[in-house]
Amino acid sequence: MQTILVTGAGSGIGRATARAFLDAGWRVALAGRREAPLVETAQGNAQALVLPMDVTDAAAVEAGFARIASEWGRLDVLFNNAGIGLPSAPIDEIAIDDWRRLSAINIDGMFLCARAAFGLMRRQDPQGGRIINNGSISAHVPRWGSAPYTVSKHAVTGLTRALSLDGRRFNIACGQIDIGNALTEMVQQMTRGVPQANGEIAVEPVMDVAHVAASVLHMAELPLSANVQFMTVMATAMPFIGRG
């Protein structure tokens, strides 16, 4: 039975993806800071492993991956998903503490989980596995007032490229999914109106988060001899092509 760890599994994209993998017959480790939302995601499924874990805490991350190794013996896929955003604002209006909190989750957390997954996949027998990083449309082009988030998602792309190269000798594949306007709690604001590059506030098209979950499942189910290096899945008419 295939195994996957999903970070940020207590809500949004993480929850939808975790449930899609459970429905597909995978063993799914559900990682997040709070246990109760993870239990809600699991819905009592016997193949779900609830794994309360703060991705910014290196010791907690190592302990979480050690538990997966102990419980299952191996990890086939990491969906490196946990992340946050900030309200839109010019960079000089962004609090330093908010920048550091976002960076700790979106950059440090991604690095720590990828590091632990890489180490486990390198050591397990048979060797290898797959890391799927959650990027963003902002990994390509920014929104207005999004400097911290955009910086973090460009960092994710750098991590993806580096792991894709470093993982070759260990049969570890790494890809990235860049998502635009999937309707989750974090994106509800799109349906009410968000700042545009020309200064206007406009409602933006959104898509069902199930399409993201299906896309991640497709990436994960490929043999390790094949890899989706970068995938963009987005609401068709959202402002990305031509943005800015």
Side-chain angles (χ1 to χ4, degrees), residues 127-141:
Q127 187 181 64
R130 188 183 308 273
I131 297 169
I132 302 172
N133 293 326
N134 187 350
S136 171
I137 297 293
S138 292
H140 304 276
V141 292

Side-chain angles (χ1 to χ4, degrees), residues 33-173:
R33 286 178 298 167
R34 296 178 296 129
E35 184 172 8
L38 301 177
V39 171
E40 186 178 345
T41 297
Q43 296 178 316
N45 193 306
Q47 301 305 327
L49 175 63
V50 173
L51 199 63
M53 182 179 81
D54 182 348
V55 298
T56 70
D57 183 333
V61 169
E62 291 293 335
F65 278 82
R67 185 177 172 196
I68 289 171
S70 174
E71 296 262 351
W72 293 342
R74 68 177 293 106
L75 179 66
D76 295 299
V77 178
L78 165 66
F79 182 36
N80 213 3
N81 166 70
I84 63 169
L86 295 176
S88 300
I91 192 169
D92 60 321
E93 297 179 13
I94 294 165
I96 298 299
D97 286 347
D98 287 342
W99 156 250
R100 287 177 173 157
R101 178 170 61 91
L102 179 143
S103 298
I105 297 170
N106 292 16
I107 301 176
D108 294 351
M110 282 270 184
F111 178 88
L112 292 172
C113 290
R115 179 179 183 274
F118 195 101
L120 177 55
M121 292 170 180
R122 179 180 176 178
R123 294 190 304 270
Q124 64 194 10
D125 185 21
Q127 187 181 64
R130 188 183 308 273
I131 297 169
I132 302 172
N133 293 326
N134 187 350
S136 171
I137 297 293
S138 292
H140 304 276
V141 292
R143 285 187 175 277
W144 179 86
S146 70
Y149 186 78
T150 297
V151 168
S152 74
K153 293 305 182 178
H154 276 67
V156 171
T157 299
L159 178 64
T160 299
R161 292 184 184 278
L163 293 180
S164 295
L165 180 59
D166 294 352
R168 289 177 184 173
R169 69 183 65 181
F170 306 114
N171 203 28
I172 298 171

